[in-house]
Amino acid sequence: MLNEASGIDAQSSPGGQQPAVKPDIIRIEGVHKWYGGFHVLKNLNLTVRQGEKIVICGPSGSGKSTFIRCINRLEEHQHGSIIVDDIELTDDVRQIDSVRRDVGMVFQHFNLFPHLTVLENCCLAPVWVKKIPRKEAESTAMEYLERVRIPDQANKYPGQLSGGQQQRVAIARALCMKPKIMLFDEPTSALDPEMIAEVLDVMIELAGSGMTMLCVTHEMGFAKTVADRVIFMDAGEIVEQAPPQEFFSNPKEPRAQKFLQQILQH
Amino acid sequence: MTDLSVMPPKKAIGPIQWMKRNLFSTWYNVVLTLVVAYLIVTSVGPLISWFFVDANFMGSDPKDCSGAGACWVFISQRLDFFIYGFYPGEQQWRVDLMFLLLAVAFVPQFIERFPGRKWLGLFGVVGLPVAGYILIPGGPFGLSEVESTKWGGLMLTLILAYIGIIASLPIGILLALGRRSEMPIIRGLCVVFIEVWRAVPLITVLFMASVMLPLFLPEGLNFEKLARALIGITLWQSAYMAEVIRGGLQAIPRGQYEAASALGLGYWRKMGLVVLPQALKLVIPGIVNTFISLFKDTTLVLIIGLLDILGTVQSTVTDPSWQNVAVEGYVFVAFCFWVFCFGISRYSQSLERKLDTGHKS
Amino acid sequence: MKKQAINARTYGVKPWYDPRVRSLVYQTLAIALVFWGGWVLVENTLSNMASRGISTGFGFLDETAGFGIIMHLVPYDATMSYGRTFWVGLANTLLVSCMGVIAATVLGFIIGVARLSSNWLIAKLALVYIEVIRNIPLLLQIFFWYFAVLSNLPSPRQSADLGSALFINNRGLYLPQPVPQEGFGLFIAGVVLAVFAVVWVAKWARKRQLATGERFPMVKVALAILVTVPFVAYVIAGDPLGWDVPALKGFNFKGGITVIPELAALWIALSLYTASFIAEIVRSGILSVSKGQTEAANALGLPNRLTLRLVVIPQSLRVIIPPLTSQYLNLVKNSSLATAIGYPDLVAVFMGTTLNQTGQAVEVVAMTMAVYLTISLLISLLMNLYNRAVAIKER
Ligand SMILES: Nc1ncnc2c1ncn2[C@@H]1O[C@H](COP(=O)(O)OP(=O)(O)O)[C@@H](O)[C@H]1O
Ligand SMILES: [Mg+2]
């Protein structure tokens, strides 16, 4: 199901018949952003290929959230260009709408809609944005709820679920729009330790299905298993980009070294 | 010093112990208790005899009242007028039917777990105005027409309060959204509208509706007095409603707006499907409270010459055929309002408490 | 790489899809709508007024009013202008509002505290008061006091006299009026001197306490100064205050101060009604100071009196004052119910009689609304200043 959603069956089929480089799906060039006089994002450049998994880390306040929220226009960038799935993010509302249809997002605090049941949360956008018939949307939603292993909670309200369950619902809700790209903003940092694993398992499985993922997280284990690239941000800049083994074993930049030291101490 | 200490602890204590603790704990409490108890005892006796013992309940005209106690005959004789105004007697079943529908729609709202409560509520908000629009003025279905000048009494009070609240709800929502809009001019207009209406007393609004509205409208187009009053009340009330709803909107966390945007919902869907359902639920107690205020404030229409329940009573107590029945009349109206407002405010308090605990869990 | 960027599906620059353009269009439309609406209203109003033969403008304010007003704080008689009726009404509105604010505050605080009393009877009595009064329409209460109570008082000839200088009848309450005589200035000087002395002593005592930690019995000393100094001045000046005692002449009392029953009824009803709301505000304000605060203060060794003064009251005032001011605002607005019983407030005099006689609906209504708008803006301005002051302290 997830394969179908990401629409890249042919390319990610096992055996790798097409070793050729997959097409770019996100292209970010020279992006700057200011909050008033405060320069949050400084000249960011990043190209993401289809199916690539990218983990973004960096100290708090370094602009990670702001950065990935620019990708679905929850924040506006003021300079440079962001092209998502061949659609440039400009002021044009139609372009923003179509990008948001292709990009799912999972938040640190889940942001489920508390007045709707789990199933209704999942069906809301497919029904109202994609105009899919309710029945169909519900059966799709149930499939995804099964994928995240909580089909039996479908008729409960978010408030009745544990944090880990809520975050898995949030993932399912985003997947119901059959996005090509998934953004995760610290999906596990609001969770109790025993619930982190259940969410990461779902994310690892999702990664295995070939979804393009950008994930802000400090979960090193997850980064090592899943990520194709780790991006380290500090003070609004991309300081270092490397495959995870390389990044975690010998970071080049002193700022990255210091950061890794700090998170390894705990 | 708080309320908690007023309640006796769970451990059973004797009445003497209780009185010692809650009535006679210090010398000044002893004095206070004695003085207050004396005042209560001396005033309750005469009140009871005025209300019940010496009062006259039976009869049909002023001569049946002895004058020693309350003359409830007056109320029972004029009750029709107090409830229906000049609505013709043989047509009053239409009003009764509306009272019944009103009760069917809203009384279950007080009872949790009443089957179909939500649907009845929806009927009360959407279906009831339609039914009322057909039944009360008449016209269609062979119902004889009754002009609005004949409406009065309790019926008119309920019409004013009900339409005032129902019509101000959508306007209030729009104003609240406008006040939180990112467009400065829209925001400014909404702020000015809301603040101006909230700053002026309802009387000036009613005056404006009754003397200025006819001047504003093109010649030939004119509303009845009742319709003009309703327009004034609705605009005035919608400003208060907007502020209540704005409070609810502010309480919705930013994450909800962001999640809705991230899913691709546009402004109106985001508001209509995600934000407003939550915000409105939060402010139900606030809406109920503004309703109580409005309900009490509807009495002001008598100043512009509409006969609401207080108006009917006021016009009868000055009726020379009944002497000195003002107190009885006022007590009757006060009782009607009190039962209604007290009941509803209790309901809204219980809702508030429920919402409170709902948020913590 | 370049190629893909060019291939990007940009939709071209359709301005209608730019949210900024949209918002500009919406706002322009809104402005246009407001102006158009305003223009239509003005147009209609002008033509309607012309067809009724009413001239526009504020010229009518200089015309002779020709009607009497039963109570006026500024000099007034029927030969004066409509403009003067505005000020008469405004002064009466402000008078009853001020009286109401004072009485409602005092009563409201007493009842609010009584509601939290450890005395069961007192607490319940306060509860009953609050729940009864605030659930009955104010207009009904005004009617009750005016038509059922005050007009049932005895006629002037059978006036109830309270201590031979105070008279109550169905025409009003008659009080003796103090008339300052020669030497009264000395007494005033004594009062002023006493106030200054108290302020100075208070400053000195505070300084000394901060420097040496010694406490000073400020309340007792202040009371002593405030009583003795003016008293001595009064005696030295030789009893400089005369009284104009009301006396029955013909059908009514003459002389002294008259509180007309309209004012009394409105004042009583407004105060009682608003007090019930203030009581609830006071109660929840006091309850809002958490028990932890009291405990912390007690743990620091502050005695109960000081805990109340230094910890509980300052914090609860912060909660109480904003809703309290909005109650004051409500009281001012509610004072317009005067119209219903004929107390000559702004609405009754100006929006009532003056409007009826001149037909200048637009001007009169606009002026009246402007008054209430000004009052409410002033109060919210004060409120904002207060909030800012509190916010600074919070840092
Ligand atoms: N709405 C905003 N207005 C002003 N500054 C902001 C806003 N949102 C974030 N910031 C600032 O931008 C910086 C980056 O924030 P963020 O992207 O949330 O960091 P991260 O997610 O890496 O912790 C922080 O210093 C933060 O204070
Ligand atoms: Mg962040």
Side-chain angles (χ1 to χ4, degrees):
Chain A
M1 202 62 227
L2 290 175
N3 284 342
E4 197 185 298
S6 48
I8 47 170
D9 282 77
Q11 288 133 349
S12 67
S13 56
Q17 287 166 336
Q18 282 181 312
V21 181
K22 288 173 194 158
D24 296 344
I25 194 163
I26 303 177
R27 302 164 46 71
I28 293 165
E29 284 169 10
V31 163
H32 289 262
K33 177 172 176 62
W34 289 263
Y35 279 124
F38 174 53
H39 203 168
V40 229
L41 300 180
K42 299 170 190 160
N43 192 28
L44 298 185
N45 292 290
L46 178 70
T47 308
V48 182
R49 295 204 193 87
Q50 212 164 55
E52 214 179 349
K53 283 93 192 135
I54 291 184
V55 162
I56 303 170
C57 62
S60 161
S62 56
K64 308 178 298 289
S65 301
T66 313
F67 177 42
I68 75 167
R69 287 151 62 90
C70 280
I71 296 173
N72 66 351
R73 250 294 153 132
L74 284 183
E75 303 284 353
E76 219 172 288
H77 60 283
Q78 287 141 348
H79 192 271
S81 74
I82 299 179
I83 297 167
V84 179
D85 193 26
D86 281 356
I87 304 167
E88 178 163 13
L89 277 170
T90 58
D91 281 334
D92 194 310
V93 281
R94 284 176 309 174
Q95 277 162 256
I96 296 170
D97 284 348
S98 42
V99 166
R100 283 182 180 165
R101 246 178 258 192
D102 286 347
V103 178
M105 182 156 193
V106 176
F107 299 84
Q108 180 177 2
H109 295 287
F110 334 134
N111 295 352
L112 291 177
F113 304 134
H115 63 301
L116 302 176
T117 62
V118 165
L119 192 61
E120 286 165 342
N121 261 284
C122 293
C123 294
L124 187 77
V127 168
W128 290 95
V129 178
K130 282 197 160 171
K131 314 267 186 316
I132 292 172
R134 172 132 231 135
K135 274 266 156 56
E136 206 182 313
E138 278 181 8
S139 67
T140 316
M142 282 312 293
E143 281 170 38
Y144 283 113
L145 287 174
E146 263 159 48
R147 291 301 287 259
V148 301
R149 292 188 277 279
I150 32 176
D152 46 331
Q153 314 283 1
N155 290 316
K156 286 196 182 165
Y157 285 90
Q160 296 166 305
L161 305 183
S162 74
Q165 289 173 322
Q166 289 194 39
Q167 193 60 298
R168 284 184 282 150
V169 172
I171 295 174
R173 177 176 74 177
L175 290 176
C176 281
M177 285 294 280
K178 308 203 170 167
K180 295 181 180 155
I181 301 163
M182 285 286 284
L183 308 176
F184 294 83
D185 189 359
E186 307 204 24
T188 54
S189 52
L191 296 177
D192 293 338
E194 75 267 22
M195 294 171 185
I196 292 180
E198 62 186 59
V199 172
L200 287 181
D201 283 349
V202 167
M203 288 170 62
I204 290 170
E205 201 184 309
L206 180 64
S209 74
M211 174 70 75
T212 312
M213 289 164 69
L214 270 83
C215 188
V216 175
T217 184
H218 294 154
E219 295 293 335
M220 311 241 285
F222 173 78
K224 281 177 186 157
T225 13
V226 166
D228 296 317
R229 253 191 292 169
V230 174
I231 289 178
F232 174 73
M233 285 183 71
D234 189 27
E237 292 170 308
I238 294 181
V239 176
E240 182 163 350
Q241 287 195 41
Q245 300 80 5
E246 202 179 313
F247 177 76
F248 290 118
S249 51
N250 72 24
K252 292 188 195 71
E253 295 286 330
R255 278 191 274 181
Q257 287 163 3
K258 198 172 151 220
F259 172 72
L260 281 176
Q261 234 167 30
Q262 273 167 352
I263 55 172
L264 285 178
Q265 273 168 8
H266 295 286
Chain B
M1 266 295 176
T2 70
D3 234 3
L4 293 176
S5 62
V6 172
M7 311 254 247
K10 289 278 177 304
K11 271 178 282 167
I13 52 169
I16 308 244
Q17 191 82 35
W18 182 88
M19 277 165 64
K20 226 176 180 173
R21 209 175 279 174
N22 294 309
L23 293 175
F24 303 108
S25 54
T26 57
W27 67 265
Y28 56 83
N29 269 331
V30 172
V31 174
L32 273 177
T33 304
L34 290 179
V35 169
V36 169
Y38 173 78
L39 287 178
I40 291 177
V41 168
T42 49
S43 60
V44 161
L47 276 180
I48 286 181
S49 58
W50 185 83
F51 268 92
F52 305 108
V53 182
D54 297 337
N56 301 95
F57 295 90
M58 304 300 214
S60 57
D61 65 276
K63 276 172 251 129
D64 293 317
C65 284
S66 60
C71 179
W72 299 125
V73 179
F74 163 67
I75 303 294
S76 63
Q77 282 306 300
R78 308 307 308 264
L79 197 59
D80 247 25
F81 182 51
F82 297 159
I83 293 178
Y84 307 101
F86 295 106
Y87 209 88
E90 70 280 7
Q91 300 294 334
Q92 283 171 4
W93 62 268
R94 282 150 57 175
V95 183
D96 294 337
L97 185 58
M98 281 310 294
F99 284 147
L100 186 72
L101 288 179
L102 196 69
V104 166
F106 289 108
V107 172
Q109 306 303 320
F110 294 85
I111 306 162
E112 237 176 299
R113 280 188 236 294
F114 192 92
R117 191 171 90 145
K118 278 201 179 131
W119 293 110
L120 285 174
L122 194 69
F123 166 76
V125 175
V126 181
L128 211 56
V130 179
Y133 187 72
I134 294 169
L135 274 175
I136 305 263
F141 306 119
L143 294 169
S144 64
E145 277 186 43
V146 182
E147 309 98 73
S148 68
T149 45
K150 290 192 176 158
W151 310 355
L154 180 63
M155 159 198 159
L156 187 70
T157 298
L158 287 176
I159 289 177
L160 288 166
Y162 178 80
I163 296 187
I165 210 81
I166 296 286
S168 65
L169 194 61
I171 305 178
I173 290 176
L174 289 179
L175 285 171
L177 290 177
R179 193 166 183 170
R180 283 173 62 81
S181 156
E182 278 158 17
M183 299 181 244
I185 290 175
I186 304 273
R187 197 179 337 129
L189 288 175
C190 289
V191 168
V192 169
F193 184 93
I194 292 171
E195 292 307 328
V196 167
W197 287 115
R198 271 160 39 94
V200 299
L202 179 57
I203 290 201
T204 58
V205 176
L206 289 172
F207 263 107
M208 200 168 110
S210 69
V211 297
M212 256 162 91
L213 208 57
L215 287 180
F216 284 161
L217 296 173
E219 243 162 317
L221 177 65
N222 210 346
F223 292 111
E224 289 154 359
K225 195 190 253 175
L226 176 61
R228 278 182 270 150
L230 274 173
I231 293 175
I233 288 180
T234 303
L235 291 178
W236 184 76
Q237 184 66 20
S238 61
Y240 284 86
M241 197 64 103
E243 284 302 275
V244 172
I245 292 169
R246 186 166 72 109
L249 291 178
Q250 274 168 341
I252 304 300
R254 243 182 59 169
Q256 293 289 314
Y257 293 84
E258 288 174 351
S261 298
L263 285 170
L265 295 171
Y267 177 83
W268 291 107
R269 295 218 171 106
K270 180 165 66 180
M271 290 301 167
L273 297 169
V274 175
V275 178
L276 278 173
Q278 297 181 55
L280 288 179
K281 195 173 168 199
L282 276 183
V283 298
I284 289 177
I287 293 179
V288 171
N289 286 342
T290 54
F291 177 68
I292 294 175
S293 309
L294 175 66
F295 189 64
K296 287 185 289 174
D297 283 337
T298 53
T299 50
L300 268 62
V301 296
L302 76 86
I303 295 172
I304 57 165
L306 289 172
L307 279 182
D308 75 320
I309 183 166
L310 182 56
T312 51
V313 169
Q314 182 66 11
S315 70
T316 347
V317 295
T318 44
D319 178 351
S321 61
W322 292 88
Q323 302 281 320
N324 277 328
V325 285
V327 177
E328 285 86 341
Y330 294 147
V331 166
F332 167 71
V333 181
F335 182 74
C336 293
F337 275 100
W338 186 82
V339 167
F340 197 84
C341 296
F342 182 72
I344 298 185
S345 73
R346 275 292 134 118
Y347 169 64
S348 114
Q349 279 164 18
S350 75
L351 262 183
E352 250 165 85
R353 254 182 311 237
K354 222 170 68 189
L355 284 176
D356 242 18
T357 51
H359 266 272
K360 273 171 205 147
S361 70
Chain C
M1 275 210 150
K2 275 271 149 58
K3 216 175 87 198
Q4 271 198 347
I6 293 162
N7 279 348
R9 264 186 284 148
T10 47
Y11 285 83
V13 208
K14 283 264 177 62
W16 177 238
Y17 289 106
D18 185 336
R20 273 169 257 237
V21 176
R22 279 190 185 186
S23 112
L24 211 66
V25 171
Y26 289 143
Q27 300 190 59
T28 318
L29 274 179
I31 289 260
L33 207 69
V34 167
F35 273 97
W36 175 77
W39 183 74
V40 167
L41 287 190
V42 170
E43 188 87 326
N44 284 336
T45 310
L46 287 180
S47 81
N48 279 323
M49 284 175 85
S51 70
R52 289 176 206 194
I54 307 168
S55 64
T56 51
F58 289 92
F60 73 97
L61 288 177
D62 296 327
E63 288 165 24
T64 306
F67 62 90
I69 300 177
I70 52 171
M71 181 187 144
H72 44 84
L73 299 177
V74 286
Y76 176 83
D77 62 58
T79 62
M80 289 181 172
S81 67
Y82 286 121
R84 182 54 79 101
T85 65
F86 173 80
W87 295 110
V88 171
L90 180 57
N92 285 342
T93 289
L94 293 180
L95 173 74
V96 73
S97 300
C98 289
M99 288 167 61
V101 161
I102 293 168
T105 309
V106 173
L107 208 60
F109 271 78
I110 292 174
I111 296 168
V113 172
R115 182 84 175 71
L116 296 173
S117 164
S118 59
N119 187 321
W120 182 87
L121 198 59
I122 301 287
K124 284 290 170 264
L125 200 67
L127 175 71
V128 168
Y129 174 86
I130 293 171
E131 290 299 355
V132 168
I133 296 294
R134 70 171 181 174
N135 284 316
I136 295 175
L138 175 59
L139 184 61
L140 175 54
Q141 299 190 33
I142 294 174
F143 278 175
F144 174 80
W145 288 106
Y146 187 65
F147 292 111
V149 177
L150 295 184
S151 49
N152 279 343
L153 288 174
S155 68
R157 283 172 182 285
Q158 284 104 40
S159 292
D161 77 43
L162 312 164
S164 76
L166 237 70
F167 302 92
I168 294 181
N169 59 45
N170 59 11
R171 302 277 191 84
L173 170 68
Y174 295 83
L175 308 166
Q177 182 174 22
V179 186
Q181 323 256 300
E182 221 176 309
F184 188 68
L186 193 64
F187 171 67
I188 296 288
V191 173
V192 172
L193 188 72
V195 169
F196 273 110
V198 167
V199 170
W200 184 80
V201 172
K203 270 193 181 156
W204 168 82
R206 195 168 165 69
K207 230 189 213 162
R208 196 183 66 154
Q209 194 193 345
L210 288 179
T212 66
E214 256 177 287
R215 296 252 293 276
F216 186 76
M218 194 55 223
V219 177
K220 281 177 204 160
V221 173
L223 274 179
I225 295 176
L226 283 178
V227 170
T228 45
V229 176
F231 180 75
V232 169
Y234 192 86
V235 171
I236 292 174
D239 194 7
L241 203 60
W243 293 93
D244 178 12
V245 179
L248 191 62
K249 291 209 183 94
F251 290 110
N252 208 346
F253 280 89
K254 293 267 156 61
I257 301 176
T258 314
V259 180
I260 56 172
E262 289 81 8
L263 173 60
L266 189 63
W267 180 48
I268 296 172
L270 275 180
S271 310
L272 293 180
Y273 185 72
T274 313
S276 72
F277 290 90
I278 292 180
E280 272 301 283
I281 292 170
V282 169
R283 180 181 88 100
S284 52
I286 294 175
L287 285 182
S288 75
V289 180
S290 67
K291 227 177 157 187
Q293 293 286 317
T294 323
E295 282 169 0
N298 285 338
L300 285 173
L302 286 179
N304 271 340
R305 284 247 309 278
L306 281 182
T307 303
L308 206 63
R309 211 181 80 197
L310 300 175
V311 178
V312 176
I313 291 179
Q315 289 192 57
S316 47
L317 274 187
R318 234 177 249 190
V319 180
I320 288 173
I321 287 189
L324 188 64
T325 45
S326 91
Q327 282 307 320
Y328 290 164
L329 206 58
N330 279 346
L331 191 147
V332 175
K333 288 191 277 172
N334 282 334
S335 74
S336 61
L337 293 185
T339 316
I341 53 169
Y343 172 73
D345 83 320
L346 181 65
V347 170
V349 171
F350 197 60
M351 219 178 186
T353 319
T354 300
L355 192 153
N356 270 340
Q357 291 197 3
T358 60
Q360 306 279 2
V362 180
E363 295 85 347
V364 168
V365 171
M367 281 173 75
T368 314
M369 285 188 154
V371 166
Y372 287 102
L373 209 58
T374 311
I375 294 175
S376 118
L377 285 180
L378 273 179
I379 290 185
S380 44
L381 191 76
L382 289 177
M383 205 52 250
N384 284 345
L385 289 179
Y386 169 81
N387 279 337
R388 203 168 303 162
V390 167
I392 287 168
K393 277 188 208 141
E394 238 158 33
R395 276 191 213 130

